[in-house]
Amino acid sequence: MTAEERSKLQVFSNYVKRILDPTYILSYMNPWLGEDEVQYIQAEKNNKGPMEAASLFLKYLLQLKEEGWFRGFLDALNNAGYSGLYEAIVNWNFQKIEKLEEYRELLKRLQPAFKDRIDPTCILPEMPDCVISQEYEEIMQVCSNKGIMAGAEKMAECLLRSDKENWPKTLKLALENENNSFSELWMVGEDAKDVEAEDLEEDDMGTSSVHIVYQEDPQGENLSQNSCTPADVSRAKLCSQLKPRNYQQELALPAMKGKNTIICAPTGCGKTFVSLLICEHHLKTFPQGQKGKVVFFANHVPVYEQQKSVFSEYFERLGYSVAGIAGATVENVPVKHIVENNDIIVLTPQILVNNLKDGTIPSLSVFTLMIFDECHNTCKQHPYNKIMFYYLDQKLGGSSDPLPQVVGMTASVGVGDAKNTDEAVEYICKLCAALDASVIATVKENLEELQEIVYTPQKISRRVESRTTDEFKCIISQLMRETESLAKGVFEELENLSQIQNREFGTQKYEQWIVQVHKACRTFQLPDKDEESRICKALYLYTSHLRKYNDALIISEHAQMKDALDYLKNFFKDVRAAGFDETEQDLTRRFEGKVQELEKISMDPSNENPKLKDLNLILQEEYHVSPETKTILFVKTRALVDAIKKWIEENSKLSFLKPGILTGRGKTSQTTGMTLPAQKCVLDAFRSNGDHNILIATSVADEGIDIAQCNLVILYEYVGNVIKMIQTRGRGRAKGSKCLLLTSNADVIEKENINMYKEKMMNESILRLQTCDEAKFKEKLLCIQTGEKFIRDNQQNSKPKLDKQNKKLLCGKCKALACYTSEIRTVKDSHYTVVGETFKKCFVTRPHPRPKSCGDIDKIGKIFCARQDCSHDWGIRAKVNAFEIPLIKIQSFVVEDTVTGKQMCPSKWKALNFQKIPFNPEELSE
């Protein structure tokens, strides 16, 4: 196998993972895979499913050095029946497989109906070539042993992985031959593009999706891979057919009169429907020969996708043109052309900021109406606020060009750090000034109607007990004390690196101490640079291990001890697989010396977490009283999401629960977020499938996500600010719903009580502002705006001069010299590469675990510090316009002044005020 073929297999690995069940070809791979590897792959399938097994299989495959394995792999695919995948890899062309994706998505949405209506013993014999022979036999065996419905579920799983180009049409023919009612839902060819929701509504009358327009807030994320799903079509059609409710007309009225307005109304009342009403009225009020232009801002890409679908379906029927730009798509579309040639543009806000900055969009005067979703974010350096800076500069600068009308939508304007109503009024005034909004619209005259439609759940705080004794914590704490002692042995002044005092193991405060120490130890300096490098690297390792121990204590505190132990085992397994120097070997030996004792403690039933006992009782009681209960369980971290899900699945008393998980898309320092399709799949299952009756989520679910009606919201040691409280509580939308805060910490309950007080204070403040004289209110806003502009202008005038002094970039872990700022070049304004032969020797490249394209940048590899005892992550290797170049991330480096020797750890590139020279491919040839 050539290096290019190996690289291509890595790049296209996601296709392989989606299709291949490696257990079907393992017998063909005996010459290349050992017995242990085969067993690991089979265990991975049994525990986590075919996709994870395929991922492990590919990992082993790409590590092979023996001759002939690639040809053997292709033969194995062909012999096992994976003809489509075989053809795609031979030609390195996956277009046929990619074309099947829309049918996979359709089948996923229709899976509940597929299970109910399909008898595989009748359908499958008419389409035997659409699955491989081993899958065919397994499906029939499941039908025989577990029943038709279980067999249909297995058949759906196999079709979702099928690589056969004709399986969608063959399924259609088989359904028609058998006169199966599922045929009405299964649309192929041109029909698939026009599939609508009417057929589905018959099966889903018990869910909230049919009533989503006026009970669910369509502003939320639909999390769809496609631009318009059947649910979106249904929602937009209902929008166009429904008569607005009285309270929705009340909310829309000030904006319809042309006033800049903040609409503050609870989650679930249909604020997106209100924005459609405002937008339609706005466009229709222009006299003949003139046209309005509306821009709708969505704060997140998933919300953007939802809103673009709804606005397109609603307004294109009325003859208006709608377009959208978000994320990576901005690289491939002419923004100016899109804005000029459409009536309504849906955007993520940073796109407009960038185009105003570079002059592509000359001013905001090109728009006549701007609508800000989740407008409470208009503060500080948020893109919403940056857009309004342009607006206010134009307003206060005496420009004669017309300004667009501004409308903001939110469930809560918040009160910030206000301690009383006067301070809360000032906070809200600043938000109004930022949006130039002289009206705050809330429901007052039609409050009864609103309360009938949007139910505010009963809020209950419940104090639970923690463990009285904790041997697990004692042992981990001792390991942490030993690790701290080792760190002090390397650097006696360790305690002086942070100002945080009285830290406790297993707390957020300890995590903050680690962050401060970690940052400080990166920039401390010694005359002896080799000694400086040794100490810096050692402290980096010790603090990294302390962080993992601290994480484990937090997991143990809120979940099961064995989950915390598994978390540590996985960490030390990764440590062994990396550089594994003497320091790491010593730390690993210390941990492994305690593993047997920790295992014994974690398996002892008497050490069960009392919090989980309480949670167990609550869930049993709620589902006993109401088996149709839908629950969202909020937790603080992704690690806790996984731990609670595992606990539910292993608990025989909760076997009636089928948990789904929902976490954010962003990558943290420790975990990678869920992809957009994965989020969508989870939400679709939760909305439509009665089996998925509990969703375990982080904060991603508290703002903007369109979730089916729930009657139980549990906040498990979860509390935030007043905006977060209102949004999480708003998830419980069904009649008779409850919002339950479960915590062992009295401070958490007190914080939630403070939030409830702040909510009351916010409502009183809004009421006070609504009774103000509008002219005087506008004067107050103008005063705030003028003051803010003065500060902003002074800050711009006092920007530091360009630093022409050349600086060093040192590895943030081992302090090895990486490059100089004079060698750094900008790529597409926001990425940074390094030119010159010297830098190439400083890093090594490994295949990217998740290669993908972002616009015209293809991520193909990861780059790491070349020192074997370091291997610090420096960034990625990317293909940009046919050139393969490294792209570095500044967070991985320490920047040293070449004159003074002073070091700093910038978290963003803009913190470095050096001369930024655009990348020129000719420098590569030089």
Side-chain angles (χ1 to χ4, degrees), residues 64 66 208 318 711 894:
L64 291 173
E66 295 89 340
S208 63
L318 301 175
N711 57 327
V894 173

Side-chain angles (χ1 to χ4, degrees), residues 507-751:
T507 63
Q508 192 63 36
K509 194 173 185 180
Y510 193 87
E511 166 71 16
Q512 292 166 358
W513 177 81
I514 292 171
V515 170
Q516 285 194 10
V517 170
H518 207 161
K519 187 174 180 179
C521 76
R522 290 176 66 189
T523 55
F524 90 95
Q525 294 173 270
L526 293 173
D528 186 336
K529 292 303 174 184
D530 289 337
E531 180 67 4
E532 177 187 311
S533 175
R534 184 189 71 81
I535 292 174
C536 179
K537 180 174 172 293
L539 290 178
Y540 185 96
L541 286 175
Y542 288 133
T543 52
S544 297
H545 281 67
L546 286 168
R547 169 176 279 153
K548 292 296 179 180
Y549 282 134
N550 195 63
D551 289 344
L553 287 181
I554 292 173
I555 294 171
S556 175
E557 168 69 19
H558 301 314
Q560 300 180 103
M561 289 177 177
K562 66 175 184 175
D563 297 321
L565 182 56
D566 287 343
Y567 179 82
L568 288 174
K569 283 180 178 178
N570 289 333
F571 168 66
F572 280 99
K573 181 181 176 182
D574 291 341
V575 169
R576 279 186 171 276
F580 207 49
D581 63 11
E582 288 184 10
T583 302
E584 290 170 319
Q585 290 172 29
D586 177 48
L587 292 169
T588 303
R589 277 194 299 269
R590 291 170 186 271
F591 168 71
E592 289 178 346
K594 298 291 183 181
V595 166
Q596 191 171 354
E597 189 177 356
L598 289 168
E599 284 179 339
K600 183 180 178 182
I601 293 167
S602 66
M603 298 306 291
D604 187 342
S606 66
N607 289 323
E608 183 182 356
N609 196 328
K611 292 183 191 178
L612 294 181
K613 285 183 180 179
D614 271 62
L615 181 58
N616 186 6
L617 291 173
I618 289 167
L619 291 171
Q620 286 190 66
E621 181 181 340
E622 292 293 335
Y623 282 86
H624 176 73
V625 173
S626 176
E628 301 303 315
T629 291
K630 284 268 190 179
T631 302
I632 300 183
L633 175 62
F634 283 99
V635 297
K636 286 190 290 190
T637 66
R638 291 174 184 172
L640 272 178
V641 168
D642 295 332
I644 297 295
K645 179 176 185 285
K646 186 178 178 183
W647 168 73
I648 290 174
E649 290 173 336
E650 293 175 349
N651 191 331
S652 60
K653 294 178 181 178
L654 298 177
S655 59
F656 55 87
L657 292 177
K658 297 294 183 286
I661 65 172
L662 184 67
T663 63
R665 299 171 64 207
K667 181 179 178 181
T668 69
S669 59
Q670 298 164 49
T671 57
T672 301
M674 290 180 76
T675 62
L676 189 62
Q679 289 177 329
K680 177 201 174 296
C681 186
V682 168
L683 285 177
D684 283 350
F686 188 63
R687 290 189 190 108
S688 61
N689 190 341
D691 290 341
H692 287 71
N693 47 11
I694 183 169
L695 187 64
I696 310 165
T698 56
S699 60
V700 68
D702 65 29
E703 178 178 323
I705 289 187
D706 181 8
I707 299 176
Q709 283 188 342
C710 299
N711 57 327
L712 180 61
V713 176
I714 299 176
L715 310 178
Y716 188 73
E717 296 286 4
Y718 182 97
V719 68
N721 58 25
V722 64
I723 293 175
K724 188 178 288 291
M725 182 198 75
I726 291 170
Q727 288 167 332
T728 51
R729 186 186 61 202
R731 297 295 123 203
R733 303 176 184 179
K735 293 286 185 183
S737 60
K738 288 187 284 191
C739 182
L740 179 62
L741 172 62
L742 200 65
T743 179
S744 59
N745 190 339
D747 291 341
V748 171
I749 294 176
E750 179 60 24
K751 186 172 183 181

